[in-house]
Amino acid sequence: MLNQIDQWIDKTNLEYKDQRISCDKFASEFAGFYPTEFLKNAFYVVVDKIPKPDFPELREMGLGDFIDMDAAGVTYKNTYYMLSHVADNLRVHFHELVHVAQWNNLGAEALILRYITEIQCAGYYDAPLEIMAYSLDEHFTDGREKLNVVEYVARTL
């Protein structure tokens, strides 16, 4: 199943490759939080509908609510997808970039397995990977002291 999801992610990212926008455009807004080199290797795509792997096996695993959830964004490896109504929302970009850092640190299969397990055991809002992203995007939005998110994620995972 993990391999099937990973292949779906690669196919999806390839399908949208020409529509990707580099996150280095946020270098000044996210200075002190995300290194420029990290932002150069992270991308986003504005979509009308968030792409999600809707495999029957995932629904059988109890992930139907997550698949059907009206999310503003989702991250797959170094690319995140977001709906047009949040495309100018820096907090959403910040949040999804936390997930890019998590993908970079854990790798695809480990992140997919951990994310599925966390959603199954705790639910979306109480999943530790989501709690980390929400707490860091709040830290940014509240104008608190700058911290290198990439290093923080690496230390905290």
Side-chain angles (χ1 to χ4, degrees):
M1 178 92 265
L2 296 179
N3 190 41
Q4 184 181 4
I5 296 168
D6 190 34
Q7 288 177 1
W8 179 90
I9 288 169
D10 287 343
K11 181 178 172 273
T12 300
N13 284 346
L14 186 60
E15 181 181 323
Y16 286 94
K17 186 174 181 155
D18 293 339
Q19 297 173 48
R20 297 185 320 168
I21 301 165
S22 176
C23 292
D24 66 352
K25 72 181 274 181
F26 302 117
S28 61
E29 292 92 333
F30 295 156
F33 289 101
Y34 291 107
T36 304
E37 205 51 43
F38 172 82
L39 293 174
K40 284 181 182 176
N41 293 301
F43 304 90
Y44 72 96
V45 180
V46 179
V47 293
D48 294 326
K49 183 177 188 275
I50 298 293
K52 292 184 186 172
D54 192 359
F55 303 132
E57 297 88 347
L58 292 174
R59 290 189 180 277
E60 290 166 15
M61 295 167 68
L63 298 171
D65 287 346
F66 174 74
I67 293 167
D68 297 334
M69 180 178 162
D70 286 332
V74 68
T75 303
Y76 301 126
K77 300 185 178 181
N78 71 338
T79 303
Y80 57 93
Y81 299 83
M82 60 192 324
L83 298 175
S84 59
H85 75 275
V86 295
D88 294 329
N89 186 323
L90 282 179
R91 184 173 186 165
V92 176
H93 286 280
F94 195 97
H95 179 100
E96 298 304 330
L97 284 165
V98 173
H99 290 311
V100 172
Q102 292 168 341
W103 279 93
N104 287 350
N105 276 275
L106 292 173
E109 287 200 12
L111 184 127
I112 293 166
L113 179 61
R114 181 169 170 175
Y115 199 81
I116 287 172
T117 303
E118 288 181 5
I119 298 292
Q120 287 174 319
C121 295
Y124 172 80
Y125 291 104
D126 292 322
L129 290 171
E130 286 299 337
I131 289 172
M132 178 189 292
Y134 279 110
S135 67
L136 286 168
D137 76 45
E138 182 178 341
H139 182 99
F140 167 74
T141 304
D142 289 350
R144 293 189 229 153
E145 182 180 334
K146 293 185 178 191
L147 65 103
N148 184 318
V149 173
V150 175
E151 290 177 1
Y152 177 85
V153 168
R155 282 193 318 269
T156 308
L157 288 176

